Amino acid sequence: MRRLLAALAAGAFLVTVSACGSSGDSTGSDKSSSGGTTKVKVGVIPIVDVAPLYLGQQKGFFKKQGLELEVSLAQGGAAIVPAVASGQYQFGFSNSTSLMVAQSNNVPVKVVSNGIASTGVQGKDFGALTVKGDSSVKSADQLEGKKVAINTLKNINETAVRESVRKAGGDPDKVKFVELAFDQMPAALDSGQIDAAMVVEPALATVKSQGAREIASPLVDVAPHLTVAMYFTSTSYEQQNAAVVKKFRTALAESLAYADAHPDEARQVVTTYTKIPAAVLAKVTLPAWPADPDRASLDALRKLGQDDGLFKTAPDLDKLLP
């Protein structure tokens, strides 16, 4: 298991923004204050997707459930999975593919709540495949032989870009994928270090402000209203702390609904955990924050992942989903 968790974390750099315990005990960092508040650590990615979590903190939805969140940032969901499975975090936010990879490798994780979904609209999604404004590349099939940046290799964004290339009539095996953090993509694209970038908000708004063009909506190409990411915990933590998990799920449900109903507030809270300028923030395309995962879209993502060889065995969604 130790080697498996290390493999999942390989190449992923965790940037912790708050003090974080080193205990591997799944319950060791779950401390209650004298007031009965339970402190839990949550691993997330510094992107627009997690705005509801921060908004829920601001609005007191988690406090109402007796929870105090300690949030840590990571480059991608692949880094968060082993941190949750080992007990470093009690909860995490990760893309659906990372969770399927973990489940197929018998890593003990369990989805707690929906995270985000694609808008389902081509050209108007929160994630996009982009090129420089003066690039000769006009469509995804023309990326054969080109260098394309994704935040984590062999994961959801690679699967999505490969599907866009495939649907456009190209051969995804001829694309040169490189791993790069979302916040590094705008500069890399602008300087010509890469030929294209699969970016999500707020990096998408940044590259567009630099004159970049969108040539595909890969997440939409995978499936309509794709469930892109979800919040999860370890199976042992869920078994030992069922009441805390239920409170976290309840607070998240209220947070997701509030963010969906108050997009201006959701947009504004992004400034508290990213450095996106106000002018760029106003142009950010928000994702959808539905209450529940879309099973059909997850089935489609799983099939593509299997076709791309991401899983040793087929993931069991019945065991993964709540």
PDB file of all heavy atoms in Angstrom, residues 155-191:
ATOM      1  N   ASN A 155      -4.264  11.587 -16.605  1.00  0.00           N
ATOM      2  CA  ASN A 155      -5.373  11.903 -15.722  1.00  0.00           C
ATOM      3  C   ASN A 155      -6.513  12.506 -16.531  1.00  0.00           C
ATOM      4  O   ASN A 155      -6.504  12.464 -17.761  1.00  0.00           O
ATOM      5  CB  ASN A 155      -4.909  12.827 -14.605  1.00  0.00           C
ATOM      6  CG  ASN A 155      -5.630  12.569 -13.297  1.00  0.00           C
ATOM      7  OD1 ASN A 155      -6.779  12.933 -13.144  1.00  0.00           O
ATOM      8  ND2 ASN A 155      -4.959  11.925 -12.347  1.00  0.00           N
ATOM      9  N   ILE A 156      -7.479  13.112 -15.854  1.00  0.00           N
ATOM     10  CA  ILE A 156      -8.717  13.524 -16.508  1.00  0.00           C
ATOM     11  C   ILE A 156      -8.507  14.485 -17.667  1.00  0.00           C
ATOM     12  O   ILE A 156      -9.150  14.349 -18.714  1.00  0.00           O
ATOM     13  CB  ILE A 156      -9.709  14.119 -15.486  1.00  0.00           C
ATOM     14  CG1 ILE A 156     -11.078  14.357 -16.157  1.00  0.00           C
ATOM     15  CG2 ILE A 156      -9.142  15.382 -14.831  1.00  0.00           C
ATOM     16  CD1 ILE A 156     -12.178  14.690 -15.169  1.00  0.00           C
ATOM     17  N   ASN A 157      -7.593  15.437 -17.515  1.00  0.00           N
ATOM     18  CA  ASN A 157      -7.419  16.409 -18.596  1.00  0.00           C
ATOM     19  C   ASN A 157      -6.720  15.814 -19.811  1.00  0.00           C
ATOM     20  O   ASN A 157      -6.994  16.216 -20.947  1.00  0.00           O
ATOM     21  CB  ASN A 157      -6.682  17.647 -18.083  1.00  0.00           C
ATOM     22  CG  ASN A 157      -7.583  18.536 -17.260  1.00  0.00           C
ATOM     23  OD1 ASN A 157      -8.733  18.773 -17.628  1.00  0.00           O
ATOM     24  ND2 ASN A 157      -7.098  19.021 -16.126  1.00  0.00           N
ATOM     25  N   GLU A 158      -5.846  14.843 -19.587  1.00  0.00           N
ATOM     26  CA  GLU A 158      -5.245  14.160 -20.729  1.00  0.00           C
ATOM     27  C   GLU A 158      -6.313  13.343 -21.450  1.00  0.00           C
ATOM     28  O   GLU A 158      -6.397  13.359 -22.690  1.00  0.00           O
ATOM     29  CB  GLU A 158      -4.096  13.261 -20.303  1.00  0.00           C
ATOM     30  CG  GLU A 158      -3.483  12.525 -21.495  1.00  0.00           C
ATOM     31  CD  GLU A 158      -2.216  11.756 -21.163  1.00  0.00           C
ATOM     32  OE1 GLU A 158      -1.556  12.089 -20.162  1.00  0.00           O
ATOM     33  OE2 GLU A 158      -1.894  10.817 -21.929  1.00  0.00           O
ATOM     34  N   THR A 159      -7.141  12.632 -20.696  1.00  0.00           N
ATOM     35  CA  THR A 159      -8.236  11.866 -21.300  1.00  0.00           C
ATOM     36  C   THR A 159      -9.149  12.776 -22.115  1.00  0.00           C
ATOM     37  O   THR A 159      -9.552  12.440 -23.236  1.00  0.00           O
ATOM     38  CB  THR A 159      -9.070  11.166 -20.205  1.00  0.00           C
ATOM     39  OG1 THR A 159      -8.265  10.169 -19.577  1.00  0.00           O
ATOM     40  CG2 THR A 159     -10.304  10.496 -20.796  1.00  0.00           C
ATOM     41  N   ALA A 160      -9.474  13.947 -21.543  1.00  0.00           N
ATOM     42  CA  ALA A 160     -10.379  14.874 -22.217  1.00  0.00           C
ATOM     43  C   ALA A 160      -9.769  15.437 -23.495  1.00  0.00           C
ATOM     44  O   ALA A 160     -10.434  15.513 -24.543  1.00  0.00           O
ATOM     45  CB  ALA A 160     -10.757  16.009 -21.261  1.00  0.00           C
ATOM     46  N   VAL A 161      -8.505  15.837 -23.427  1.00  0.00           N
ATOM     47  CA  VAL A 161      -7.843  16.384 -24.624  1.00  0.00           C
ATOM     48  C   VAL A 161      -7.732  15.302 -25.698  1.00  0.00           C
ATOM     49  O   VAL A 161      -7.965  15.564 -26.891  1.00  0.00           O
ATOM     50  CB  VAL A 161      -6.444  16.939 -24.277  1.00  0.00           C
ATOM     51  CG1 VAL A 161      -5.680  17.288 -25.558  1.00  0.00           C
ATOM     52  CG2 VAL A 161      -6.568  18.173 -23.394  1.00  0.00           C
ATOM     53  N   ARG A 162      -7.387  14.096 -25.293  1.00  0.00           N
ATOM     54  CA  ARG A 162      -7.300  13.000 -26.248  1.00  0.00           C
ATOM     55  C   ARG A 162      -8.648  12.784 -26.948  1.00  0.00           C
ATOM     56  O   ARG A 162      -8.693  12.517 -28.157  1.00  0.00           O
ATOM     57  CB  ARG A 162      -6.862  11.713 -25.544  1.00  0.00           C
ATOM     58  CG  ARG A 162      -5.406  11.722 -25.085  1.00  0.00           C
ATOM     59  CD  ARG A 162      -5.076  10.485 -24.256  1.00  0.00           C
ATOM     60  NE  ARG A 162      -5.145   9.282 -25.072  1.00  0.00           N
ATOM     61  CZ  ARG A 162      -4.137   8.787 -25.788  1.00  0.00           C
ATOM     62  NH1 ARG A 162      -2.953   9.386 -25.764  1.00  0.00           N
ATOM     63  NH2 ARG A 162      -4.278   7.691 -26.503  1.00  0.00           N
ATOM     64  N   GLU A 163      -9.743  12.925 -26.205  1.00  0.00           N
ATOM     65  CA  GLU A 163     -11.062  12.745 -26.805  1.00  0.00           C
ATOM     66  C   GLU A 163     -11.366  13.869 -27.794  1.00  0.00           C
ATOM     67  O   GLU A 163     -11.965  13.631 -28.853  1.00  0.00           O
ATOM     68  CB  GLU A 163     -12.133  12.682 -25.711  1.00  0.00           C
ATOM     69  CG  GLU A 163     -13.554  12.469 -26.220  1.00  0.00           C
ATOM     70  CD  GLU A 163     -13.786  11.132 -26.915  1.00  0.00           C
ATOM     71  OE1 GLU A 163     -12.823  10.319 -27.042  1.00  0.00           O
ATOM     72  OE2 GLU A 163     -14.930  10.876 -27.329  1.00  0.00           O
ATOM     73  N   SER A 164     -10.958  15.099 -27.472  1.00  0.00           N
ATOM     74  CA  SER A 164     -11.163  16.222 -28.397  1.00  0.00           C
ATOM     75  C   SER A 164     -10.380  16.008 -29.688  1.00  0.00           C
ATOM     76  O   SER A 164     -10.888  16.264 -30.787  1.00  0.00           O
ATOM     77  CB  SER A 164     -10.739  17.540 -27.743  1.00  0.00           C
ATOM     78  OG  SER A 164     -11.631  17.921 -26.721  1.00  0.00           O
ATOM     79  N   VAL A 165      -9.137  15.554 -29.549  1.00  0.00           N
ATOM     80  CA  VAL A 165      -8.303  15.286 -30.726  1.00  0.00           C
ATOM     81  C   VAL A 165      -8.934  14.176 -31.560  1.00  0.00           C
ATOM     82  O   VAL A 165      -9.036  14.271 -32.789  1.00  0.00           O
ATOM     83  CB  VAL A 165      -6.874  14.887 -30.299  1.00  0.00           C
ATOM     84  CG1 VAL A 165      -6.067  14.411 -31.511  1.00  0.00           C
ATOM     85  CG2 VAL A 165      -6.172  16.049 -29.617  1.00  0.00           C
ATOM     86  N   ARG A 166      -9.393  13.138 -30.878  1.00  0.00           N
ATOM     87  CA  ARG A 166     -10.021  11.993 -31.553  1.00  0.00           C
ATOM     88  C   ARG A 166     -11.283  12.424 -32.299  1.00  0.00           C
ATOM     89  O   ARG A 166     -11.500  12.035 -33.453  1.00  0.00           O
ATOM     90  CB  ARG A 166     -10.334  10.921 -30.501  1.00  0.00           C
ATOM     91  CG  ARG A 166     -10.686   9.558 -31.046  1.00  0.00           C
ATOM     92  CD  ARG A 166     -10.944   8.585 -29.894  1.00  0.00           C
ATOM     93  NE  ARG A 166      -9.746   8.279 -29.126  1.00  0.00           N
ATOM     94  CZ  ARG A 166      -9.550   8.596 -27.847  1.00  0.00           C
ATOM     95  NH1 ARG A 166     -10.490   9.240 -27.183  1.00  0.00           N
ATOM     96  NH2 ARG A 166      -8.447   8.269 -27.235  1.00  0.00           N
ATOM     97  N   LYS A 167     -12.128  13.219 -31.624  1.00  0.00           N
ATOM     98  CA  LYS A 167     -13.378  13.654 -32.248  1.00  0.00           C
ATOM     99  C   LYS A 167     -13.147  14.583 -33.439  1.00  0.00           C
ATOM    100  O   LYS A 167     -13.974  14.657 -34.353  1.00  0.00           O
ATOM    101  CB  LYS A 167     -14.266  14.350 -31.211  1.00  0.00           C
ATOM    102  CG  LYS A 167     -14.967  13.388 -30.265  1.00  0.00           C
ATOM    103  CD  LYS A 167     -16.014  14.088 -29.409  1.00  0.00           C
ATOM    104  CE  LYS A 167     -16.855  13.073 -28.655  1.00  0.00           C
ATOM    105  NZ  LYS A 167     -17.928  13.724 -27.852  1.00  0.00           N
ATOM    106  N   ALA A 168     -12.006  15.282 -33.419  1.00  0.00           N
ATOM    107  CA  ALA A 168     -11.686  16.186 -34.524  1.00  0.00           C
ATOM    108  C   ALA A 168     -11.034  15.452 -35.688  1.00  0.00           C
ATOM    109  O   ALA A 168     -10.753  16.055 -36.738  1.00  0.00           O
ATOM    110  CB  ALA A 168     -10.761  17.307 -34.035  1.00  0.00           C
ATOM    111  N   GLY A 169     -10.797  14.132 -35.500  1.00  0.00           N
ATOM    112  CA  GLY A 169     -10.222  13.337 -36.577  1.00  0.00           C
ATOM    113  C   GLY A 169      -8.728  13.123 -36.476  1.00  0.00           C
ATOM    114  O   GLY A 169      -8.105  12.602 -37.412  1.00  0.00           O
ATOM    115  N   GLY A 170      -8.131  13.499 -35.352  1.00  0.00           N
ATOM    116  CA  GLY A 170      -6.696  13.343 -35.191  1.00  0.00           C
ATOM    117  C   GLY A 170      -6.322  12.107 -34.388  1.00  0.00           C
ATOM    118  O   GLY A 170      -7.187  11.385 -33.893  1.00  0.00           O
ATOM    119  N   ASP A 171      -5.008  11.875 -34.249  1.00  0.00           N
ATOM    120  CA  ASP A 171      -4.499  10.734 -33.499  1.00  0.00           C
ATOM    121  C   ASP A 171      -3.919  11.248 -32.178  1.00  0.00           C
ATOM    122  O   ASP A 171      -2.841  11.861 -32.161  1.00  0.00           O
ATOM    123  CB  ASP A 171      -3.411  10.020 -34.299  1.00  0.00           C
ATOM    124  CG  ASP A 171      -2.886   8.777 -33.593  1.00  0.00           C
ATOM    125  OD1 ASP A 171      -3.268   8.541 -32.429  1.00  0.00           O
ATOM    126  OD2 ASP A 171      -2.073   8.044 -34.205  1.00  0.00           O
ATOM    127  N   PRO A 172      -4.604  11.011 -31.058  1.00  0.00           N
ATOM    128  CA  PRO A 172      -4.118  11.528 -29.773  1.00  0.00           C
ATOM    129  C   PRO A 172      -2.778  10.953 -29.344  1.00  0.00           C
ATOM    130  O   PRO A 172      -2.063  11.568 -28.548  1.00  0.00           O
ATOM    131  CB  PRO A 172      -5.231  11.135 -28.796  1.00  0.00           C
ATOM    132  CG  PRO A 172      -5.953  10.011 -29.457  1.00  0.00           C
ATOM    133  CD  PRO A 172      -5.884  10.292 -30.917  1.00  0.00           C
ATOM    134  N   ASP A 173      -2.404   9.788 -29.874  1.00  0.00           N
ATOM    135  CA  ASP A 173      -1.120   9.191 -29.518  1.00  0.00           C
ATOM    136  C   ASP A 173       0.053   9.998 -30.072  1.00  0.00           C
ATOM    137  O   ASP A 173       1.199   9.810 -29.650  1.00  0.00           O
ATOM    138  CB  ASP A 173      -1.039   7.752 -30.034  1.00  0.00           C
ATOM    139  CG  ASP A 173      -1.959   6.810 -29.269  1.00  0.00           C
ATOM    140  OD1 ASP A 173      -2.298   7.130 -28.111  1.00  0.00           O
ATOM    141  OD2 ASP A 173      -2.341   5.766 -29.831  1.00  0.00           O
ATOM    142  N   LYS A 174      -0.229  10.900 -31.019  1.00  0.00           N
ATOM    143  CA  LYS A 174       0.834  11.705 -31.624  1.00  0.00           C
ATOM    144  C   LYS A 174       0.990  13.063 -30.943  1.00  0.00           C
ATOM    145  O   LYS A 174       1.845  13.868 -31.321  1.00  0.00           O
ATOM    146  CB  LYS A 174       0.544  11.909 -33.116  1.00  0.00           C
ATOM    147  CG  LYS A 174       0.607  10.610 -33.927  1.00  0.00           C
ATOM    148  CD  LYS A 174       0.346  10.868 -35.401  1.00  0.00           C
ATOM    149  CE  LYS A 174       0.414   9.556 -36.207  1.00  0.00           C
ATOM    150  NZ  LYS A 174       0.137   9.792 -37.651  1.00  0.00           N
ATOM    151  N   VAL A 175       0.179  13.317 -29.920  1.00  0.00           N
ATOM    152  CA  VAL A 175       0.284  14.572 -29.161  1.00  0.00           C
ATOM    153  C   VAL A 175       1.359  14.421 -28.088  1.00  0.00           C
ATOM    154  O   VAL A 175       1.470  13.376 -27.442  1.00  0.00           O
ATOM    155  CB  VAL A 175      -1.063  14.921 -28.504  1.00  0.00           C
ATOM    156  CG1 VAL A 175      -0.931  16.167 -27.637  1.00  0.00           C
ATOM    157  CG2 VAL A 175      -2.133  15.131 -29.563  1.00  0.00           C
ATOM    158  N   LYS A 176       2.162  15.453 -27.883  1.00  0.00           N
ATOM    159  CA  LYS A 176       3.212  15.439 -26.862  1.00  0.00           C
ATOM    160  C   LYS A 176       2.687  16.137 -25.600  1.00  0.00           C
ATOM    161  O   LYS A 176       2.650  17.370 -25.540  1.00  0.00           O
ATOM    162  CB  LYS A 176       4.465  16.159 -27.378  1.00  0.00           C
ATOM    163  CG  LYS A 176       5.071  15.539 -28.628  1.00  0.00           C
ATOM    164  CD  LYS A 176       6.239  16.358 -29.129  1.00  0.00           C
ATOM    165  CE  LYS A 176       6.830  15.771 -30.406  1.00  0.00           C
ATOM    166  NZ  LYS A 176       7.948  16.616 -30.931  1.00  0.00           N
ATOM    167  N   PHE A 177       2.279  15.356 -24.628  1.00  0.00           N
ATOM    168  CA  PHE A 177       1.743  15.924 -23.399  1.00  0.00           C
ATOM    169  C   PHE A 177       2.865  16.244 -22.411  1.00  0.00           C
ATOM    170  O   PHE A 177       3.791  15.448 -22.224  1.00  0.00           O
ATOM    171  CB  PHE A 177       0.755  14.952 -22.749  1.00  0.00           C
ATOM    172  CG  PHE A 177      -0.533  14.801 -23.503  1.00  0.00           C
ATOM    173  CD1 PHE A 177      -0.767  13.687 -24.302  1.00  0.00           C
ATOM    174  CD2 PHE A 177      -1.514  15.788 -23.426  1.00  0.00           C
ATOM    175  CE1 PHE A 177      -1.963  13.549 -25.001  1.00  0.00           C
ATOM    176  CE2 PHE A 177      -2.706  15.659 -24.130  1.00  0.00           C
ATOM    177  CZ  PHE A 177      -2.931  14.544 -24.924  1.00  0.00           C
ATOM    178  N   VAL A 178       2.775  17.424 -21.797  1.00  0.00           N
ATOM    179  CA  VAL A 178       3.738  17.823 -20.771  1.00  0.00           C
ATOM    180  C   VAL A 178       2.962  18.263 -19.527  1.00  0.00           C
ATOM    181  O   VAL A 178       1.863  18.808 -19.631  1.00  0.00           O
ATOM    182  CB  VAL A 178       4.649  18.971 -21.248  1.00  0.00           C
ATOM    183  CG1 VAL A 178       5.500  18.515 -22.413  1.00  0.00           C
ATOM    184  CG2 VAL A 178       3.844  20.204 -21.636  1.00  0.00           C
ATOM    185  N   GLU A 179       3.542  18.012 -18.379  1.00  0.00           N
ATOM    186  CA  GLU A 179       2.875  18.350 -17.111  1.00  0.00           C
ATOM    187  C   GLU A 179       3.294  19.741 -16.635  1.00  0.00           C
ATOM    188  O   GLU A 179       4.482  20.056 -16.572  1.00  0.00           O
ATOM    189  CB  GLU A 179       3.229  17.303 -16.058  1.00  0.00           C
ATOM    190  CG  GLU A 179       2.437  17.412 -14.775  1.00  0.00           C
ATOM    191  CD  GLU A 179       2.634  16.211 -13.865  1.00  0.00           C
ATOM    192  OE1 GLU A 179       2.015  15.156 -14.133  1.00  0.00           O
ATOM    193  OE2 GLU A 179       3.415  16.319 -12.907  1.00  0.00           O
ATOM    194  N   LEU A 180       2.288  20.553 -16.306  1.00  0.00           N
ATOM    195  CA  LEU A 180       2.547  21.920 -15.877  1.00  0.00           C
ATOM    196  C   LEU A 180       1.392  22.377 -14.994  1.00  0.00           C
ATOM    197  O   LEU A 180       0.227  22.089 -15.286  1.00  0.00           O
ATOM    198  CB  LEU A 180       2.652  22.835 -17.107  1.00  0.00           C
ATOM    199  CG  LEU A 180       3.362  24.175 -16.970  1.00  0.00           C
ATOM    200  CD1 LEU A 180       4.841  23.974 -16.602  1.00  0.00           C
ATOM    201  CD2 LEU A 180       3.266  24.948 -18.283  1.00  0.00           C
ATOM    202  N   ALA A 181       1.702  23.084 -13.917  1.00  0.00           N
ATOM    203  CA  ALA A 181       0.649  23.587 -13.032  1.00  0.00           C
ATOM    204  C   ALA A 181      -0.201  24.607 -13.777  1.00  0.00           C
ATOM    205  O   ALA A 181       0.293  25.344 -14.643  1.00  0.00           O
ATOM    206  CB  ALA A 181       1.265  24.226 -11.791  1.00  0.00           C
ATOM    207  N   PHE A 182      -1.487  24.663 -13.455  1.00  0.00           N
ATOM    208  CA  PHE A 182      -2.394  25.585 -14.140  1.00  0.00           C
ATOM    209  C   PHE A 182      -1.888  27.026 -14.127  1.00  0.00           C
ATOM    210  O   PHE A 182      -1.946  27.724 -15.140  1.00  0.00           O
ATOM    211  CB  PHE A 182      -3.790  25.539 -13.498  1.00  0.00           C
ATOM    212  CG  PHE A 182      -4.573  24.306 -13.805  1.00  0.00           C
ATOM    213  CD1 PHE A 182      -5.081  23.522 -12.778  1.00  0.00           C
ATOM    214  CD2 PHE A 182      -4.820  23.902 -15.114  1.00  0.00           C
ATOM    215  CE1 PHE A 182      -5.822  22.376 -13.041  1.00  0.00           C
ATOM    216  CE2 PHE A 182      -5.554  22.760 -15.400  1.00  0.00           C
ATOM    217  CZ  PHE A 182      -6.051  21.993 -14.356  1.00  0.00           C
ATOM    218  N   ASP A 183      -1.394  27.479 -12.963  1.00  0.00           N
ATOM    219  CA  ASP A 183      -0.993  28.886 -12.866  1.00  0.00           C
ATOM    220  C   ASP A 183       0.293  29.198 -13.624  1.00  0.00           C
ATOM    221  O   ASP A 183       0.659  30.359 -13.790  1.00  0.00           O
ATOM    222  CB  ASP A 183      -0.881  29.328 -11.394  1.00  0.00           C
ATOM    223  CG  ASP A 183       0.158  28.542 -10.613  1.00  0.00           C
ATOM    224  OD1 ASP A 183       0.845  27.672 -11.196  1.00  0.00           O
ATOM    225  OD2 ASP A 183       0.282  28.802  -9.394  1.00  0.00           O
ATOM    226  N   GLN A 184       0.986  28.159 -14.115  1.00  0.00           N
ATOM    227  CA  GLN A 184       2.185  28.363 -14.922  1.00  0.00           C
ATOM    228  C   GLN A 184       1.893  28.319 -16.419  1.00  0.00           C
ATOM    229  O   GLN A 184       2.736  28.689 -17.241  1.00  0.00           O
ATOM    230  CB  GLN A 184       3.233  27.292 -14.578  1.00  0.00           C
ATOM    231  CG  GLN A 184       3.753  27.382 -13.153  1.00  0.00           C
ATOM    232  CD  GLN A 184       4.699  26.236 -12.811  1.00  0.00           C
ATOM    233  OE1 GLN A 184       5.196  25.540 -13.693  1.00  0.00           O
ATOM    234  NE2 GLN A 184       4.943  26.029 -11.523  1.00  0.00           N
ATOM    235  N   MET A 185       0.704  27.869 -16.767  1.00  0.00           N
ATOM    236  CA  MET A 185       0.352  27.707 -18.179  1.00  0.00           C
ATOM    237  C   MET A 185       0.259  29.018 -18.964  1.00  0.00           C
ATOM    238  O   MET A 185       0.727  29.080 -20.111  1.00  0.00           O
ATOM    239  CB  MET A 185      -0.941  26.910 -18.305  1.00  0.00           C
ATOM    240  CG  MET A 185      -0.804  25.448 -17.900  1.00  0.00           C
ATOM    241  SD  MET A 185      -2.345  24.517 -18.144  1.00  0.00           S
ATOM    242  CE  MET A 185      -1.941  22.959 -17.368  1.00  0.00           C
ATOM    243  N   PRO A 186      -0.336  30.086 -18.407  1.00  0.00           N
ATOM    244  CA  PRO A 186      -0.435  31.324 -19.181  1.00  0.00           C
ATOM    245  C   PRO A 186       0.918  31.836 -19.677  1.00  0.00           C
ATOM    246  O   PRO A 186       1.072  32.181 -20.861  1.00  0.00           O
ATOM    247  CB  PRO A 186      -1.082  32.300 -18.193  1.00  0.00           C
ATOM    248  CG  PRO A 186      -1.921  31.423 -17.322  1.00  0.00           C
ATOM    249  CD  PRO A 186      -1.083  30.195 -17.132  1.00  0.00           C
ATOM    250  N   ALA A 187       1.913  31.879 -18.799  1.00  0.00           N
ATOM    251  CA  ALA A 187       3.235  32.369 -19.190  1.00  0.00           C
ATOM    252  C   ALA A 187       3.898  31.425 -20.190  1.00  0.00           C
ATOM    253  O   ALA A 187       4.541  31.873 -21.153  1.00  0.00           O
ATOM    254  CB  ALA A 187       4.118  32.527 -17.956  1.00  0.00           C
ATOM    255  N   ALA A 188       3.739  30.119 -19.962  1.00  0.00           N
ATOM    256  CA  ALA A 188       4.351  29.133 -20.861  1.00  0.00           C
ATOM    257  C   ALA A 188       3.748  29.214 -22.262  1.00  0.00           C
ATOM    258  O   ALA A 188       4.450  29.098 -23.270  1.00  0.00           O
ATOM    259  CB  ALA A 188       4.172  27.730 -20.293  1.00  0.00           C
ATOM    260  N   LEU A 189       2.440  29.435 -22.334  1.00  0.00           N
ATOM    261  CA  LEU A 189       1.769  29.542 -23.626  1.00  0.00           C
ATOM    262  C   LEU A 189       2.166  30.834 -24.324  1.00  0.00           C
ATOM    263  O   LEU A 189       2.466  30.849 -25.518  1.00  0.00           O
ATOM    264  CB  LEU A 189       0.247  29.498 -23.438  1.00  0.00           C
ATOM    265  CG  LEU A 189      -0.607  29.446 -24.707  1.00  0.00           C
ATOM    266  CD1 LEU A 189      -0.333  28.165 -25.491  1.00  0.00           C
ATOM    267  CD2 LEU A 189      -2.087  29.537 -24.359  1.00  0.00           C
ATOM    268  N   ASP A 190       2.201  31.913 -23.567  1.00  0.00           N
ATOM    269  CA  ASP A 190       2.526  33.226 -24.133  1.00  0.00           C
ATOM    270  C   ASP A 190       3.958  33.281 -24.655  1.00  0.00           C
ATOM    271  O   ASP A 190       4.242  33.943 -25.656  1.00  0.00           O
ATOM    272  CB  ASP A 190       2.316  34.298 -23.065  1.00  0.00           C
ATOM    273  CG  ASP A 190       2.224  35.705 -23.652  1.00  0.00           C
ATOM    274  OD1 ASP A 190       1.476  35.883 -24.628  1.00  0.00           O
ATOM    275  OD2 ASP A 190       2.904  36.610 -23.130  1.00  0.00           O
ATOM    276  N   SER A 191       4.865  32.547 -23.991  1.00  0.00           N
ATOM    277  CA  SER A 191       6.280  32.570 -24.387  1.00  0.00           C
ATOM    278  C   SER A 191       6.602  31.573 -25.494  1.00  0.00           C
ATOM    279  O   SER A 191       7.704  31.586 -26.037  1.00  0.00           O
ATOM    280  CB  SER A 191       7.163  32.256 -23.173  1.00  0.00           C
ATOM    281  OG  SER A 191       6.954  30.919 -22.733  1.00  0.00           O
TER     282      SER A 191
END
